Amino acid sequence: MENRIANAFAKKQNHLLNVYLTAGYPTLDATVPLIETLASSGADLIEIGMPFSDPLADGPVIQASSTAALLNGMNLWVLFAQLKDIRQRVPETPILLMGYLNPVMQFGMENFCREAAAAGVDGLILPDLPLAEYEEEYQDVFRRHNLRPVFLITPQTSPERIRRIDALTESFLYLVSGPGTTGGGTTQDPTKQEAYFERIAAMNLRNPRLIGFGIGDKTSFDRACRYAEGAIIGSAFIKALEGKEDAPAAAREFVESVLN
Amino acid sequence: MNYQPNARGYYGEFGGAYIPEMLYPNVEELQENYLQILGDPEFQREYQKLLRDYVGRPTPLFEAKRLSAKYGTRVFLKREDLCHTGAHKVNNTVGQILMARRLGKTRIIAETGAGQHGVATATVCALMGMECIVYMGKIDMERQRPNVERMRLLGAEVRAAVSGSQTLKDATNEAIRDWISNPVDTHYIIGSVVGPHPYPDLVARLQSVISEEMRKQLHEELGRELPDYVVACVGGGSNAAGAFYHFLDEPSVKLIAVEAAGHGISSGHSAATSVLGKPGIIHGSRTLLMQDEHGQITEPYSLSAGLDYPGIGPLHAFLGTSGRARFISIEDEQALYSVAELSRLEGIIPALETAHALAALPQLGAGPEDVVVVNLSGRGDKDLATYLQFADKLNSYDF
């Protein structure tokens, strides 16, 4: 079945930019204008964060944006209502939903996948969904709704596990750049990091790769693109929206600063 | 009924390991090694020796005669309050630090609510000469100041968790984030029977010494190994898991888990997870969880900082929903009454958490021939500031 994620990687083989935004941040109604702006200013994929009270894998910036979004009134019902006509405005750019499992479970996985597919979502990133549970319980419903799962790979992930993840994936592999939560902050030895990226590249995996965590500007984006098809920017983008009256204008400026 | 987790860490529908990939290698390493290490005679020799010579085990089983007379049943107290550091928490930290050493880890992290697990972790890190970082909610640091100072005196670094409600849940989030950032050299000593598999089982096994001793001591004292009731308080549920463990497969033993109702179950200020929780995922485990209709985790309340956790261990979720354990909720006021009662009737000042278990005594329906063991999980020194705040009330009761 056709899927916008596969189309995006077919159309462009390198320097793909995936931008993460937190739904309902900086204001409740900012979600759709930001998606439109990201798409029109050159982002190749868009990842919408579904805010959660306890985002374990996220650093302080995304934590704070999640808390703010929840206070703004964001939840899955509101988000799906906001995304109802998104494909009329943004027809081609792949959209992924990223979030933690508990809110999804309370919504119901079947309902969640149906609503996501109806809105024109292409992929799901649920970092605390275990591979075995995905295979046994959720793979069918994902497939029925043509939703592609994206799994994370870290420097500690074993080659066997990477192969298994690659086999379960029909979108892209999310390479976590080093130890740490989103937004970087940890000191990463560049030599070690390069060795890790090169080790994965040499595995000849069937899926393309995007590098995320700690990518925040043109320099780090270009560097990541030497080792993968593209990269994912989240915290730095959220930071660029902080305190801005005109969030879409700030978003455009940010994307242009990374791509040009 | 089987009360042991399956190979993937499920007790019925509860448990598992819902963790991001960054934690997978750490957790897998533990999953693959914990049973082997626990079963290694050399590990057991070292662990048992420390429990005896350092922790002060076995802890006494004391027949509380005045309390028994008052409630018309035979009440025994398992004196975990006499453990080194003042609570049962150290049984687990001694075992986990020995395990961490065997796994080649050099740095220890922990979360703490009331500070008892933080102190127990700082203590064993001092003993083993290992670096120790304890995450504690900023609000808990303020209300449990003496324990913060104890940890520092023991050489630990106490880091304030400033996210969310700034209590135990957030301290646990921060500890997990630290582990994500330090996947190779660090072992995370979780303080309760919570978290991803294998932690609930690992901590339950390390605390199971409590019920192992109870059986022996009851046999020596009464010629019977089995009590009629075992009563323990439950926040995450480590002391209850230890007190229940060797009685799980003895259906004649009634297991009573006591939760903190705070200001009352329906007050909106409560920590009674078994009543207010629905199945959900917290800290890598599927369990009963206090949450809103959107699956956002809500803030629990209890006067006791050791019981205000929005989840319970998956074992307890299973024991509760399967009917093996009976859950009772106790409000702040009732717990405070029991603090005064045990102090005046038996000369033992209990921790506020433990007082919840004692407050369940009148609700058991135990008869004069029944043997009731209450797990006296901790002593009250750490709660002195709270007790001072309620001094007029505590001194006004007649016994």
Side-chain angles (χ1 to χ4, degrees), chain A residues 51-59 63 70 74-77 101-106 127-133 136-137 152-154 156-157 161 164-165 176 178-181 186 213, chain B residues 8 10 16-26 28 163-164 169-170 172-174 176-177 180-184 278-284 286 289 291-298:
Chain A
F52 180 47
S53 54
D54 295 77
L56 281 183
D58 285 301
Q63 284 174 44
L70 291 172
M74 180 47 68
N75 61 50
L76 286 178
W77 281 266
L101 200 50
N102 197 51
V104 172
M105 276 181 41
Q106 301 312 316
D128 55 352
L129 173 60
L131 283 187
E133 271 75 0
E136 287 164 23
E137 290 174 43
L152 275 55
I153 287 173
T154 79
Q156 268 76 41
T157 309
R161 191 167 163 84
R164 182 172 165 215
I165 288 171
V176 176
T181 50
T186 54
F213 285 46
Chain B
R8 288 204 337 234
Y10 284 92
Y18 294 84
I19 47 168
E21 185 64 27
M22 294 80 101
L23 286 178
Y24 188 83
N26 308 23
E28 188 188 35
S163 58
K169 162 177 87 77
D170 311 285
T172 309
N173 289 344
E174 290 308 324
I176 291 174
R177 288 180 186 126
I180 286 173
S181 301
N182 299 283
V184 180
K278 288 180 296 180
I281 291 165
I282 181 168
H283 299 139
R286 184 166 196 275
L289 172 63
Q291 53 189 312
D292 69 12
E293 73 270 33
H294 302 298
Q296 307 296 339
I297 298 174
T298 52

